Amino acid sequence: MNANTPRQDSSESGPGSEWEQDAQLLSRTARDLPSGRHQFHKERLMAQIHEQVQREERTAAPAAPAKTRWSRLPRPAITLPAMAFGLSAVIVAGVVTLGGGEGVREGGVATGPALTTDLGTATTKGVPQLLDQISLAAAEGDHPTVKAGQYIYIESVLADTHVKTVDDKSSLVSEELHKRQMWESADGVEGWLIDPAVNDSSEGETLTLPDEQGNTPKAHMGSPSYDYLARLTTDPDALLAKIYQETEGQGNTPDQQAFSTIGDLLSESYPPPELYAALFETAAKIPGVVVVDDAVDAAGRHGVAVARLDETSGQREEWIFDKKSHVYLGARNVQVKPVKEEGILIKSGTVNFTMAIKNRAVVDGMKQTPSTPAQAG
């Protein structure tokens, strides 16, 4: 169990016991998140629960000196199962607040001024043509078959933006760009994650199932394995219908959630070539999709973006592609409509999340990279 997971004596009665039940529920649902992301959300939601318990305790105790906490901005590309949102009443508008109590850490990466960018020009003109070109490029790409005993390896660089509060003084900060490495077996049962923003150890942590309760959830659209993806239909209409069906009730709107679900498949999975190409044909059928003439990924590479504005959060989710080869480069979420979070104005042009794919390959062993021999474990 992570250091920031609250440990409440289950023999106690009252609110503490309810939070313990919520914590157990979260542990079961966390594995339903997109591969490699369960721990990211688990840490933040468990910290949320921890802070709520602290607030309840402080109502009957003298005020303690203020400590550091931070609130992560809404990120439409990552959507928790509906059941997870019932865990705590302190989940408001997608903002996650981390308490400064013992056992709650801020993450293993430094922060600095909030990242900003030019919004670029967004238009619906040329959307079908661009997605068709991207689909053709995807179909011609080299996507090897993942065999039993092999692992999908995905290496990326990324950063998040959040509201950080120190002694009741809040400011908007962004993480420094940091490397993330993820391994997952073809069946999705075995995996490993190295991400200093969420790991307690530089060695990373296992994603291997079953979870702490002995559950091995089945793969689904929100948490797909390679084997699951290989069985999906490649008919765009049927595929979109399945996405809407499986993500019903998630996200701010069905269309935005469908767009975000496809975005997750692009960034943290390795779909077979036929499905990979079909995903872009499917995205072309989602209302509200636009083209942004210029977007920059986390590695500083300029490209053209396929995007959609989430009217609820005011954020635009962008998938970034090379302008010539149409190869997928990465993704980012940009604030288009200014909003206030915890009294802090999130201005237009704020980069709430940015990511760039650096390597995606099939390897023969856990923790093996394309340039290193297989390692045990």
Side-chain angles (χ1 to χ4, degrees):
M1 185 173 288
N2 270 283
N4 65 341
T5 302
R7 298 184 180 183
Q8 181 76 28
D9 187 350
S10 59
S11 64
E12 295 178 357
S13 59
S17 298
E18 294 178 4
W19 287 115
E20 174 66 10
Q21 294 170 4
D22 285 343
Q24 293 173 358
L25 174 61
L26 176 59
S27 183
R28 292 195 296 272
T29 60
R31 293 287 177 171
D32 290 334
L33 295 171
S35 303
R37 294 181 175 179
H38 73 287
Q39 192 61 38
F40 186 91
H41 294 287
K42 178 179 178 181
E43 292 204 19
R44 281 146 180 77
L45 279 176
M46 292 308 297
Q48 224 181 354
I49 294 171
H50 182 85
E51 185 183 29
Q52 176 69 12
V53 173
Q54 285 187 319
R55 283 202 297 266
E56 292 174 354
E57 291 174 347
R58 284 198 294 268
T59 59
K67 296 184 180 181
T68 303
R69 60 189 175 89
W70 60 269
S71 300
R72 189 167 176 276
L73 301 182
R75 181 170 158 195
I78 300 178
T79 304
L80 292 166
M83 183 159 44
F85 280 106
L87 287 172
S88 170
V90 296
I91 301 179
V92 180
V95 178
V96 178
T97 302
L98 294 191
E102 182 180 355
V104 182
R105 62 190 180 86
E106 293 185 54
V109 294
T111 59
L115 297 171
T116 60
T117 187
D118 293 331
L119 290 177
T121 301
T123 177
T124 57
K125 184 179 180 180
V127 171
Q129 292 83 352
L130 176 60
L131 283 168
D132 186 56
Q133 291 172 334
I134 293 172
S135 180
L136 289 173
E140 296 171 356
D142 181 20
H143 281 218
T145 300
V146 186
K147 302 176 183 178
Q150 292 185 312
Y151 297 84
I152 293 171
Y153 170 73
I154 300 176
E155 179 182 324
S156 59
V157 292
L158 70 162
D160 263 312
T161 296
H162 56 263
V163 175
K164 183 176 181 178
T165 301
V166 181
D167 294 331
D168 294 326
K169 295 181 179 180
S170 298
S171 62
L172 191 66
V173 299
S174 291
E175 297 172 345
E176 65 177 356
L177 291 173
H178 57 279
K179 183 166 72 172
R180 173 185 175 92
Q181 295 170 284
M182 189 188 76
W183 291 261
E184 185 179 66
S185 60
D187 60 8
V189 174
E190 297 181 341
W192 194 266
L193 174 67
I194 299 177
D195 185 340
V198 298
N199 295 149
D200 291 319
S201 167
S202 61
E203 297 297 318
E205 63 184 287
T206 183
L207 301 178
T208 298
L209 301 172
D211 60 16
E212 292 89 340
Q213 280 69 43
N215 301 316
T216 305
K218 293 182 179 179
H220 54 83
M221 192 66 71
S223 181
S225 64
Y226 177 85
D227 291 346
Y228 173 86
L229 294 176
R231 295 191 297 267
L232 285 178
T233 178
T234 56
D235 176 80
D237 291 312
L239 183 57
L240 184 58
K242 183 173 181 62
I243 292 173
Y244 280 126
Q245 179 183 15
E246 288 208 14
T247 62
E248 183 178 1
Q250 300 178 21
N252 289 325
T253 66
D255 291 335
Q256 187 63 42
Q257 182 56 37
F259 188 82
S260 296
T261 297
I262 295 175
D264 283 340
L265 297 181
L266 299 179
S267 62
E268 287 211 321
S269 70
Y270 204 1
E274 296 83 3
L275 177 65
Y276 193 57
L279 288 174
F280 301 110
E281 298 178 54
T282 303
K285 296 179 177 294
I286 300 174
V289 176
V290 298
V291 173
V292 179
D293 61 346
D294 185 61
V296 186
D297 72 3
R301 300 173 295 191
H302 285 257
V304 61
V306 175
R308 193 178 192 284
L309 176 65
D310 184 334
E311 295 287 352
T312 303
S313 68
Q315 293 187 43
R316 188 172 68 200
E317 180 179 346
E318 301 177 349
W319 311 336
I320 306 171
F321 301 86
D322 183 271
K323 291 183 179 180
K324 293 183 178 180
S325 68
H326 297 115
V327 170
Y328 177 75
L329 300 177
R332 68 180 185 178
N333 285 352
V334 178
Q335 195 72 39
V336 174
K337 299 180 179 180
V339 298
K340 275 193 174 183
E341 298 294 348
E342 301 227 337
I344 298 297
L345 178 65
I346 314 300
K347 299 180 180 179
S348 298
T350 300
V351 179
N352 297 320
F353 168 75
T354 181
M355 180 275 296
I357 295 291
K358 301 295 289 184
N359 201 342
R360 185 161 17 198
V362 177
V363 296
D364 293 325
M366 186 85 82
K367 302 186 213 177
Q368 177 188 355
T369 65
S371 59
T372 61
Q375 301 178 19

